[in-house]
Amino acid sequence: MKIGELSERTGIPTRMLRYYEQQELLDSERSANGYRSYDEAHVERAARVRGLIQSGLSTRMTKVVLDLERQCALETPPVCTRALAEELAQELVALEERLACLTRSRDAVALYLERSAHGDLVPSENRLRRPA
């Protein structure tokens, strides 16, 4: 598929897909005329990249996380410098803080909707569970 179709399938603008490629987060095959060509694996990869960036990771850290995921899928233990481990530990703390903030926001929105006349719009998995 060409970049326009990848954009349609993922909802990611073509300009952003080119940026991901420039940052070595996404790759493509090139045809003789220079057009980019993508397959199904690229759809999943592009969505993963977007999700990591939307979660607050820099493009550099996104590349690191994607590389770590690939290494973790292998049988051999990953190689990690102390400096990278410290950076990842800091990122882990930042991710936990963002998750806690997002959880509070989700709960506030769910509670507001539940208390409104539109509580039926809250999916069952997002309904707040209060002790009886």
Side-chain angles (χ1 to χ4, degrees):
M1 76 185 83
K2 292 185 180 152
I3 195 167
E5 185 178 345
L6 180 63
S7 175
E8 286 178 26
R9 298 263 316 270
T10 61
I12 303 170
T14 56
R15 182 173 176 226
M16 189 60 66
L17 292 169
R18 287 187 196 98
Y19 176 73
Y20 291 170
E21 191 171 334
Q22 180 185 31
Q23 297 299 307
E24 299 179 355
L25 299 169
L26 188 65
D27 63 350
S28 65
E29 298 294 323
R30 293 289 183 137
S31 60
N33 61 7
Y35 287 178
R36 292 170 173 87
S37 178
Y38 301 95
D39 60 25
E40 286 302 315
H42 290 101
V43 174
E44 189 174 313
R45 172 78 176 209
R48 179 76 177 125
V49 168
R50 179 180 55 185
L52 289 168
I53 290 171
Q54 286 179 335
S55 73
L57 268 62
S58 66
T59 54
R60 188 185 70 72
M61 187 54 70
T62 295
K63 187 171 182 352
V64 169
V65 168
L66 291 170
D67 288 343
L68 291 172
E69 287 176 347
R70 183 185 48 76
Q71 287 181 31
C72 287
L74 302 174
E75 294 294 321
T76 58
V79 176
C80 182
T81 65
R82 180 68 184 191
L84 178 58
E86 289 171 354
E87 188 175 355
L88 290 171
Q90 289 175 345
E91 190 62 41
L92 187 58
V93 169
L95 285 167
E96 289 294 340
E97 289 171 356
R98 284 194 294 273
L99 280 170
C101 181
L102 286 169
T103 298
R104 287 190 303 273
S105 297
R106 180 203 59 211
D107 291 349
V109 170
L111 180 61
Y112 179 84
L113 284 172
E114 285 177 12
R115 289 182 174 180
S116 76
H118 310 288
D120 61 310
L121 295 175
V122 180
S124 60
E125 66 270 12
N126 291 85
R127 293 197 180 276
L128 298 179
R129 289 152 188 79
R130 293 185 239 340

